[in-house]
Amino acid sequence: MSDTPFGFGLPPEEPDDGDEGKKKDQQSGGGQGPANPFGFGGLPGAGGFGGPGADNPFAAMFGSLNPSDLGAAFQQLGQMLSYEGGPVNWDMAKQIARQTVSQGTADGTKDASVGPAERTAVEEAVRLADLWLDDATSLPSGAGSAVAWSRAEWVEATLPAWKELVDPVAERVGTAMGDVLPEEMQAMAGPLIGMMRSMGGAMFGTQIGQAVGVLAGEVVGSTDIGLPLGPAGKAALLPVNVETFGKDLGVPKEEVRLYLALREAAHQRLFAHVPWLRSHLFGAVDGYARGIKVDTAKLEDVVGQFDPQNPEQLQDALQQGMFQPEDTPEQKAALARLETALALVEGWVDAVVHAAAKPRLSSADALRETLRRRRASGGPAEQTFATLIGLELRPRRLRDASRLWASLTDARGVDGRDALWAHPDMLPTATDLDDPDGFVHREQIDFSELDKMLGEAAGGSTGKPDLKKDDGSKDDDKGDGTE
């Protein structure tokens, strides 16, 4: 997968179909031409657009004179050019993601249907995790059900969330593609622009489908990246990926499953009982995405110098990236807001899960550190987002956020800590992550001063009786820690 935003990279090659696959490849001139610059590899039917050795997007379709193959090719082309949906052809994205999943991961692990025993194990792990979390957080269970997904089922369940995250950026890129044409040509090129948008939708669908398919081979649940990708109220684990995750850790697989179930169940509690949090996070992603500008000068330069005999030139140029963040205070604020929100979510989950697991699992420390490093090292989730929306969703300050939540627990207790999720304005800021203890102390003073001001306003200036009443109410408020 390309690390470049919308790198238009070629998807993985089709799986080997044995002798029949070799025969089709020979008929279509396999291994003889340059790679297709638009990355339409991996499409079903007739060897796929831009398959291995295709000279252009149509070579694989028309390389065979077999009537059934030719019919399938025309049908595929018709579907692509007749697409009139949004900026991304999500039907195509789904096909590519499913196909990528079916090919298996680099270590040779294949997807498989989840059996009854695995489903029962996941359900029991989530049920036990919820019992343990009751002692670690005041937020009640958020998982109405626990499900065990195959990789293909994860793709199906998370595509609606990907659509919400990716469409804003894809729309900007699609508009920029049409703007590359000279203004005098745009009036005469209506049908051409429409076809370009259809082709662009297919191009993005291919890229996104590939990225989501690769990610499906590595995630262990529905909340790995700190965002709720699955349906609300469903705690999900992927047994085949959970087993791969714990393979070389030297930890019993039951403990690995239970620790990951704790993390999934903690995320579910947070997203279920903090009603504004999902829109806050998705809105932050959207706000940042809308501040990204497409480098139309680079796009014009690439198109103007494009040599049809050297399509790799276009591929290489586009892989260098077309996105440039706007260097404005608004864009910087959007990025800071997003990074801080992700760090606070992941830090809270890390702190709560550690509190629940530490007294009960001997492997809690080792599993905690493994997951922290996985998140901090720019793993699959970060690479996928860098490809899809030009942004690395890496909680760079996970450890700082975790220390802050732990400090709040010590100072205010579980109820006082979790009360901060009542409103986004109550949450710590990026500056507060630098000084967790200062945040806790300052917030207590601020709330006391606010109570005093409100008391004085209500009681007027009648003197000592009102001050005593104010002191009593202030003590009460400080006692429950929720104000």
Side-chain angles (χ1 to χ4, degrees):
M1 179 175 64
S2 168
D3 289 335
T4 309
F6 282 119
F8 309 105
L10 293 173
E13 294 181 355
E14 291 279 0
D16 189 359
D17 293 328
D19 294 338
E20 183 65 21
K22 294 177 182 177
K23 180 178 178 182
K24 290 182 180 180
D25 187 61
Q26 291 169 357
Q27 289 174 336
S28 60
Q32 298 300 316
N36 164 30
F38 296 107
F40 289 121
L43 296 179
F49 301 131
D55 292 332
N56 56 62
F58 307 102
M61 295 195 302
F62 300 108
S64 171
L65 296 179
N66 185 300
S68 60
D69 287 346
L70 191 60
F74 274 117
Q75 182 180 15
Q76 194 69 247
L77 178 62
Q79 291 175 352
M80 182 177 68
L81 295 181
S82 63
Y83 175 73
E84 297 180 353
V88 178
N89 188 330
W90 286 101
D91 291 336
M92 184 170 292
K94 179 179 174 181
Q95 292 177 13
I96 298 299
R98 292 292 298 264
Q99 181 183 0
T100 303
V101 164
S102 70
Q103 293 171 349
T105 54
D107 62 0
T109 305
K110 296 285 188 179
D111 192 23
S113 299
V114 180
E118 291 173 317
R119 295 188 187 279
T120 299
V122 168
E123 291 171 357
E124 292 178 350
V126 172
R127 189 179 304 115
L128 181 57
D130 258 336
L131 288 175
W132 289 5
L133 288 172
D134 284 340
D135 296 331
T137 174
S138 62
L139 299 180
S141 174
S145 61
V147 294
W149 285 338
S150 66
R151 293 166 178 171
E153 288 172 326
W154 182 89
V155 169
E156 295 276 355
T158 62
L159 274 179
W162 289 118
K163 185 177 187 297
E164 187 175 349
L165 289 166
V166 173
D167 271 350
V169 172
E171 179 65 41
R172 294 183 65 83
V173 177
T175 300
M177 290 177 66
D179 292 343
V180 167
L181 289 175
E183 190 171 334
E184 60 273 11
M185 291 183 60
Q186 291 187 21
M188 300 182 296
L192 176 60
I193 292 177
M195 186 176 72
M196 287 177 63
R197 290 188 179 276
S198 297
M199 296 285 283
M203 182 164 53
F204 297 141
T206 300
Q207 181 81 358
I208 292 164
Q210 180 196 353
V212 172
V214 170
L215 188 58
E218 302 181 13
V219 295
V220 295
S222 70
T223 55
D224 279 30
I225 62 174
L227 296 174
L229 296 179
K234 282 192 176 182
L237 292 180
L238 282 71
V240 64
N241 292 353
V242 170
E243 184 173 353
T244 301
F245 172 83
K247 188 175 182 181
D248 299 320
L249 297 180
V251 177
K253 64 180 181 180
E254 292 79 9
E255 290 194 18
V256 174
R257 183 193 302 118
L258 183 51
Y259 193 87
L260 296 176
L262 280 167
R263 288 185 53 82
E264 180 73 8
H267 277 104
Q268 293 295 334
R269 288 183 181 226
L270 196 57
F271 290 120
H273 299 291
V274 183
W276 55 264
L277 183 57
R278 186 185 190 279
S279 59
H280 180 76
L281 289 169
F282 277 65
V285 173
D286 182 72
Y288 179 83
R290 293 188 184 281
I292 292 175
K293 63 180 180 181
V294 179
D295 189 350
T296 54
K298 174 182 282 190
L299 192 57
E300 290 176 357
D301 184 62
V302 169
V303 173
Q305 298 182 17
F306 174 57
D307 179 5
Q309 300 301 317
N310 186 21
E312 293 94 337
Q313 176 187 4
L314 180 61
Q315 173 77 10
D316 294 340
L318 293 178
Q319 283 184 341
Q320 295 175 13
M322 293 186 299
F323 292 150
Q324 295 178 342
E326 293 276 10
D327 188 19
T328 63
E330 292 79 11
Q331 179 70 347
K332 292 177 180 177
L335 179 59
R337 175 184 170 220
L338 178 57
E339 290 182 338
T340 302
L342 284 171
L344 290 174
V345 168
E346 289 299 281
W348 183 89
V349 169
D350 179 77
V352 167
V353 168
H354 183 69
K358 177 67 173 175
R360 300 176 173 95
L361 292 179
S362 60
S363 58
D365 287 334
L367 289 169
R368 183 190 201 188
E369 188 61 27
T370 298
L371 283 161
R372 279 181 166 186
R373 290 179 178 178
R374 188 177 191 236
R375 283 296 269 136
S377 62
E382 289 74 31
Q383 293 173 7
T384 298
F385 266 97
T387 299
L388 298 184
I389 62 174
L391 173 66
E392 290 185 356
L393 292 185
R394 187 184 309 172
R396 303 175 189 277
R397 310 199 63 183
L398 168 60
R399 293 177 188 270
D400 294 335
S402 183
R403 283 194 293 268
L404 184 145
W405 289 118
S407 179
L408 282 168
T409 306
D410 294 338
R412 304 188 187 183
V414 169
D415 291 345
R417 177 201 65 198
D418 292 346
L420 290 178
W421 290 106
H423 192 279
D425 291 343
M426 297 176 66
L427 290 178
T429 64
T431 303
D432 296 325
L433 293 179
D434 296 328
D435 183 17
D437 294 330
F439 170 78
V440 174
H441 180 66
R442 185 177 68 253
E443 284 296 298
Q444 287 179 323
I445 291 180
D446 287 345
F447 284 127
S448 298
E449 290 298 319
L450 178 61
D451 290 338
K452 183 178 179 180
M453 292 171 60
L454 292 175
E456 290 176 348
S461 57
T462 57
K464 292 183 179 180
D466 292 315
L467 290 175
K468 289 180 180 179
K469 183 183 295 185
D470 175 60
D471 288 341
S473 64
K474 178 177 68 175
D475 290 339
D476 291 341
D477 289 341
K478 182 184 291 186
D480 66 21
T482 58
E483 294 297 313

CSV table of all heavy atoms in Angstrom, one decimal, residues 405-426:
chain,number,residue,atom,x,y,z
A,405,TRP,N,-5.0,11.2,32.7
A,405,TRP,CA,-6.2,10.5,33.2
A,405,TRP,C,-5.9,9.8,34.6
A,405,TRP,O,-6.7,9.8,35.5
A,405,TRP,CB,-6.7,9.5,32.2
A,405,TRP,CG,-7.3,10.2,31.0
A,405,TRP,CD1,-6.9,10.0,29.7
A,405,TRP,CD2,-8.5,11.0,31.0
A,405,TRP,NE1,-7.7,10.8,28.9
A,405,TRP,CE2,-8.7,11.4,29.6
A,405,TRP,CE3,-9.3,11.5,32.0
A,405,TRP,CZ2,-9.8,12.2,29.2
A,405,TRP,CZ3,-10.4,12.3,31.6
A,405,TRP,CH2,-10.6,12.7,30.2
A,406,ALA,N,-4.7,9.2,34.7
A,406,ALA,CA,-4.3,8.6,36.0
A,406,ALA,C,-4.2,9.6,37.1
A,406,ALA,O,-4.6,9.4,38.2
A,406,ALA,CB,-3.0,7.9,35.8
A,407,SER,N,-3.6,10.8,36.7
A,407,SER,CA,-3.5,11.9,37.7
A,407,SER,C,-4.9,12.3,38.2
A,407,SER,O,-5.1,12.6,39.4
A,407,SER,CB,-2.7,13.0,37.2
A,407,SER,OG,-2.6,14.1,38.1
A,408,LEU,N,-5.8,12.5,37.2
A,408,LEU,CA,-7.2,12.9,37.5
A,408,LEU,C,-7.9,11.8,38.4
A,408,LEU,O,-8.6,12.2,39.3
A,408,LEU,CB,-8.0,13.0,36.2
A,408,LEU,CG,-7.7,14.3,35.5
A,408,LEU,CD1,-8.3,14.3,34.1
A,408,LEU,CD2,-8.3,15.5,36.3
A,409,THR,N,-7.6,10.5,38.2
A,409,THR,CA,-8.2,9.5,39.0
A,409,THR,C,-7.7,9.6,40.4
A,409,THR,O,-8.5,9.5,41.4
A,409,THR,CB,-7.8,8.1,38.4
A,409,THR,OG1,-8.2,8.0,37.1
A,409,THR,CG2,-8.5,7.0,39.2
A,410,ASP,N,-6.4,9.9,40.6
A,410,ASP,CA,-5.9,10.0,42.0
A,410,ASP,C,-6.5,11.2,42.7
A,410,ASP,O,-6.7,11.2,43.9
A,410,ASP,CB,-4.3,10.1,41.9
A,410,ASP,CG,-3.7,8.9,41.4
A,410,ASP,OD1,-4.3,7.8,41.5
A,410,ASP,OD2,-2.5,8.9,40.9
A,411,ALA,N,-6.6,12.3,41.9
A,411,ALA,CA,-7.1,13.6,42.5
A,411,ALA,C,-8.6,13.6,42.8
A,411,ALA,O,-9.1,14.2,43.8
A,411,ALA,CB,-6.6,14.8,41.7
A,412,ARG,N,-9.4,13.1,41.8
A,412,ARG,CA,-10.8,13.3,41.9
A,412,ARG,C,-11.6,12.0,42.0
A,412,ARG,O,-12.8,12.0,42.1
A,412,ARG,CB,-11.3,14.0,40.6
A,412,ARG,CG,-10.6,15.4,40.4
A,412,ARG,CD,-11.3,16.1,39.3
A,412,ARG,NE,-10.6,17.3,39.0
A,412,ARG,CZ,-10.9,18.2,38.1
A,412,ARG,NH1,-12.1,18.0,37.4
A,412,ARG,NH2,-10.2,19.3,37.9
A,413,GLY,N,-10.9,10.9,41.9
A,413,GLY,CA,-11.6,9.6,41.8
A,413,GLY,C,-12.2,9.3,40.5
A,413,GLY,O,-12.1,10.1,39.5
A,414,VAL,N,-12.7,8.1,40.3
A,414,VAL,CA,-13.2,7.6,39.0
A,414,VAL,C,-14.4,8.5,38.6
A,414,VAL,O,-14.4,8.9,37.4
A,414,VAL,CB,-13.7,6.1,39.2
A,414,VAL,CG1,-14.5,5.7,37.9
A,414,VAL,CG2,-12.5,5.2,39.3
A,415,ASP,N,-15.3,8.8,39.5
A,415,ASP,CA,-16.4,9.6,39.0
A,415,ASP,C,-16.0,11.0,38.6
A,415,ASP,O,-16.5,11.5,37.6
A,415,ASP,CB,-17.4,9.7,40.2
A,415,ASP,CG,-18.1,8.4,40.5
A,415,ASP,OD1,-18.0,7.5,39.6
A,415,ASP,OD2,-18.7,8.3,41.6
A,416,GLY,N,-15.1,11.6,39.4
A,416,GLY,CA,-14.7,13.0,39.0
A,416,GLY,C,-13.9,13.0,37.7
A,416,GLY,O,-14.1,13.9,36.9
A,417,ARG,N,-13.1,12.0,37.5
A,417,ARG,CA,-12.4,11.9,36.2
A,417,ARG,C,-13.4,11.7,35.0
A,417,ARG,O,-13.3,12.5,34.0
A,417,ARG,CB,-11.5,10.7,36.2
A,417,ARG,CG,-10.7,10.4,35.0
A,417,ARG,CD,-10.2,8.9,34.9
A,417,ARG,NE,-11.3,8.0,34.8
A,417,ARG,CZ,-11.2,6.7,35.1
A,417,ARG,NH1,-10.1,6.2,35.5
A,417,ARG,NH2,-12.3,5.9,35.0
A,418,ASP,N,-14.3,10.8,35.1
A,418,ASP,CA,-15.2,10.5,34.0
A,418,ASP,C,-16.2,11.7,33.7
A,418,ASP,O,-16.7,11.8,32.6
A,418,ASP,CB,-15.9,9.2,34.2
A,418,ASP,CG,-15.0,8.0,34.1
A,418,ASP,OD1,-13.8,8.2,33.7
A,418,ASP,OD2,-15.4,6.9,34.6
A,419,ALA,N,-16.4,12.5,34.8
A,419,ALA,CA,-17.3,13.6,34.6
A,419,ALA,C,-16.8,14.6,33.6
A,419,ALA,O,-17.6,15.4,33.0
A,419,ALA,CB,-17.5,14.3,36.0
A,420,LEU,N,-15.5,14.6,33.3
A,420,LEU,CA,-15.0,15.6,32.3
A,420,LEU,C,-15.5,15.3,30.9
A,420,LEU,O,-15.4,16.2,30.0
A,420,LEU,CB,-13.5,15.5,32.3
A,420,LEU,CG,-12.8,16.1,33.6
A,420,LEU,CD1,-11.3,16.0,33.5
A,420,LEU,CD2,-13.1,17.6,33.8
A,421,TRP,N,-16.0,14.1,30.7
A,421,TRP,CA,-16.5,13.8,29.3
A,421,TRP,C,-17.9,14.4,29.1
A,421,TRP,O,-18.5,14.2,28.1
A,421,TRP,CB,-16.6,12.3,29.1
A,421,TRP,CG,-15.3,11.6,29.0
A,421,TRP,CD1,-14.6,10.8,29.9
A,421,TRP,CD2,-14.4,11.7,27.9
A,421,TRP,NE1,-13.4,10.4,29.4
A,421,TRP,CE2,-13.2,10.9,28.2
A,421,TRP,CE3,-14.5,12.3,26.6
A,421,TRP,CZ2,-12.2,10.7,27.3
A,421,TRP,CZ3,-13.4,12.1,25.7
A,421,TRP,CH2,-12.3,11.3,26.1
A,422,ALA,N,-18.5,15.1,30.1
A,422,ALA,CA,-19.8,15.6,30.0
A,422,ALA,C,-19.9,16.7,28.9
A,422,ALA,O,-21.0,16.8,28.3
A,422,ALA,CB,-20.3,16.3,31.3
A,423,HIS,N,-18.8,17.4,28.6
A,423,HIS,CA,-18.8,18.4,27.5
A,423,HIS,C,-17.4,18.6,27.0
A,423,HIS,O,-16.5,18.5,27.7
A,423,HIS,CB,-19.4,19.7,28.1
A,423,HIS,CG,-19.7,20.7,27.1
A,423,HIS,ND1,-18.7,21.5,26.5
A,423,HIS,CD2,-20.9,21.1,26.5
A,423,HIS,CE1,-19.3,22.3,25.6
A,423,HIS,NE2,-20.6,22.1,25.6
A,424,PRO,N,-17.3,18.8,25.7
A,424,PRO,CA,-16.0,18.9,25.1
A,424,PRO,C,-15.2,20.0,25.7
A,424,PRO,O,-13.9,20.0,25.7
A,424,PRO,CB,-16.2,19.1,23.6
A,424,PRO,CG,-17.7,19.5,23.5
A,424,PRO,CD,-18.4,18.8,24.6
A,425,ASP,N,-15.8,21.1,26.1
A,425,ASP,CA,-15.1,22.2,26.7
A,425,ASP,C,-14.4,21.9,28.0
A,425,ASP,O,-13.6,22.7,28.5
A,425,ASP,CB,-16.0,23.4,26.8
A,425,ASP,CG,-16.4,24.0,25.5
A,425,ASP,OD1,-15.8,23.7,24.5
A,425,ASP,OD2,-17.4,24.8,25.4
A,426,MET,N,-14.9,20.8,28.6
A,426,MET,CA,-14.3,20.4,29.9
A,426,MET,C,-13.0,19.6,29.8
A,426,MET,O,-12.3,19.4,30.8
A,426,MET,CB,-15.3,19.7,30.8
A,426,MET,CG,-16.6,20.5,31.1
A,426,MET,SD,-17.8,19.5,32.0
A,426,MET,CE,-17.0,19.1,33.5
